[in-house]
Amino acid sequence: GYLSALFKKQYNQNLVDYINEVKIQQACALIRNSDFSVSEICEKVGYGDYCHFNKVFRRIMGKSPLQYSREIKS
C-alpha cells in the first residue's frame, strides 16, 4: 500500500494501471513483431487468464487484441 501511495503521488497514476499499460504495450509489440498467437502473447506478458487480458487490452487500446492483430497484419 505504501509503495502504491508513493507512486500515485509522484506520477499521478495508479501503480496497477501503470503495470497494465506496460504489459499491453509489450503485447502490442509482440503482436506487431512476432507470429505468436494472441493467447501465447497473453501468457508471455504475464496474464494467466485470457478473459482478463482481453478486458484490460480493450480498456487501454479501445479494441480487442484480435481486432488489433487483424488490423496490424492486414
Side-chain angles (χ1 to χ4, degrees), residues 4-70:
S4 292
L6 284 177
F7 190 90
K8 183 157 183 128
K9 184 177 179 182
Q10 180 71 29
Y11 297 104
N12 200 30
Q13 183 178 27
N14 184 311
L15 179 60
V16 173
D17 290 342
Y18 174 78
I19 291 168
N20 281 328
E21 286 181 14
V22 169
K23 287 180 175 183
I24 297 304
Q25 289 173 2
Q26 290 175 335
C28 289
L30 286 170
I31 289 170
R32 285 190 308 271
N33 302 314
S34 75
D35 291 327
F36 293 121
S37 70
V38 174
S39 60
E40 290 173 316
I41 290 170
C42 165
E43 292 178 13
K44 288 187 179 299
V45 297
Y47 289 95
D49 177 19
Y50 180 79
C51 290
H52 181 65
F53 170 69
N54 189 47
K55 180 177 158 185
V56 173
F57 193 100
R58 187 180 295 272
R59 181 174 44 85
I60 292 171
M61 298 301 295
K63 59 188 83 177
S64 75
L66 287 174
Q67 289 171 322
Y68 182 81
S69 177
R70 288 180 185 135

